Amino acid sequence: MILGVLSDVHGNLEALEAVLGVLRDKGAARFLCCGDTVGYGPDPNRCIEAIRGLDCVGVAGNHDLAAAGTIPLRSFNSAAAVAILWTQPLLTEPNRLYLESLPLTTEAGPLLMVHSSPSAPDHWEYVLTVRGAAAEMKHYPGGVCVVGHSHQPMVVERIPGEAARLVRDQSFVIRPEAKYFINAGSVGQPRDGDARACCLLFDEGSQTMTFLRVPYDIGAVQRKIRAAGLPDYLASRLEVGR
Ligand code: ZN
């Protein structure tokens, strides 16, 4: 089975559709979503409906739960909070209930999925370093943990008896004896300086993980963000991937 791993779509339908097209072309037959399908972007309902239509295995992100009204906006920066307040009244009740129903962690075959960190899934901490990832590895028995949240693709591998290390290859094979902490990057709002949508392809047969970068119509999304009256910063950051 070939899996497509998505995270942090953030209401960006153009990026989501572009990524799904490429993943399907490469044989993805099952999809996983590490959370934050809404927030920041102009198409929350259509993105949720696309994800629901895929029968995705999913976990909740902080923006999902804030939009559903189940966590407070205290910890959100001002542009994020404005976008959540814009999103809340637009959500259809079935879509709101879907977001509310998502678990904080789940397992999809060999993959543990959580939006932020396995040590404290409801604290929404950012794991950005090898050291941080190595500390998180103490909170699951083995295998691969896939997260989102930081919008920074990252792979940390720890082989027994060795120090954890960063894997910089775009494509790599999962070693059965090693432990992995993988950030899938962001479909709808990349922040690693590459404006193209980011996702992961996992071929279970060969145990190969591959990061894909997919161009999409950024201008169309920017026009929708501006037409909706959302903060301009949410439009301008998309073209620089920051
Ligand atoms: Zn996010």
Side-chain angles (χ1 to χ4, degrees):
M1 176 83 84
I2 297 179
L3 308 180
V5 185
L6 316 169
S7 192
D8 295 273
V9 172
H10 283 298
N12 186 334
L13 184 67
E14 283 73 9
L16 177 59
E17 286 178 340
V19 154
L20 290 177
V22 170
L23 287 170
R24 285 198 181 103
D25 282 351
K26 292 186 179 292
R30 192 173 176 221
F31 296 89
L32 316 181
C33 179
C34 291
D36 277 3
T37 297
V38 303
Y40 298 131
D43 280 310
N45 284 308
R46 290 180 70 188
C47 288
I48 295 171
E49 283 151 15
I51 293 285
R52 290 174 68 193
L54 295 170
D55 203 17
C56 248
V57 180
V59 290
N62 50 326
H63 289 253
D64 298 325
L65 295 181
T70 57
I71 64 168
L73 283 175
R74 270 198 308 276
S75 60
F76 284 70
N77 68 46
S78 66
V82 165
I84 293 293
L85 292 170
W86 177 87
T87 301
Q88 281 174 337
L90 285 184
L91 285 183
T92 66
E93 187 59 6
N95 286 344
R96 194 194 69 76
L97 287 170
Y98 168 77
L99 296 179
E100 193 177 65
S101 74
L102 289 167
L104 288 173
T105 66
T106 194
E107 283 170 28
L111 308 181
L112 170 67
M113 296 164 59
V114 58
H115 183 63
S116 56
S117 67
S119 65
D122 59 346
H123 289 194
W124 315 113
E125 282 159 8
Y126 293 97
V127 181
L128 298 164
T129 62
V130 173
R131 193 177 167 156
E136 290 300 325
M137 286 177 182
K138 298 188 179 114
H139 296 269
Y140 52 100
V144 179
C145 176
V146 190
V147 305
H149 196 44
S150 72
H151 303 203
Q152 308 271 357
M154 178 176 81
V155 179
V156 176
E157 176 188 64
R158 197 178 69 200
I159 295 167
E162 296 180 20
R165 69 172 193 108
L166 213 51
V167 177
R168 296 178 189 278
D169 309 302
Q170 189 213 338
S171 190
F172 56 96
V173 175
I174 298 289
R175 299 169 181 236
E177 75 280 16
K179 215 167 185 179
Y180 293 85
F181 185 89
I182 299 176
N183 192 305
S186 171
V187 171
Q189 194 195 74
R191 294 179 191 160
D192 61 339
D194 185 336
R196 295 173 298 171
C198 184
C199 66
L200 260 178
L201 188 77
F202 179 44
D203 185 332
E204 286 186 301
S206 63
Q207 290 288 295
T208 307
M209 284 273 184
T210 306
F211 280 101
L212 302 175
R213 299 306 291 246
V214 182
Y216 69 96
D217 189 348
I218 293 174
V221 185
Q222 290 178 315
R223 285 189 290 279
K224 287 186 192 176
I225 289 172
R226 290 176 175 131
L230 287 162
D232 193 76
Y233 166 63
L234 298 179
S236 59
R237 69 184 304 177
L238 292 179
E239 74 200 41
V240 288
R242 291 283 179 202

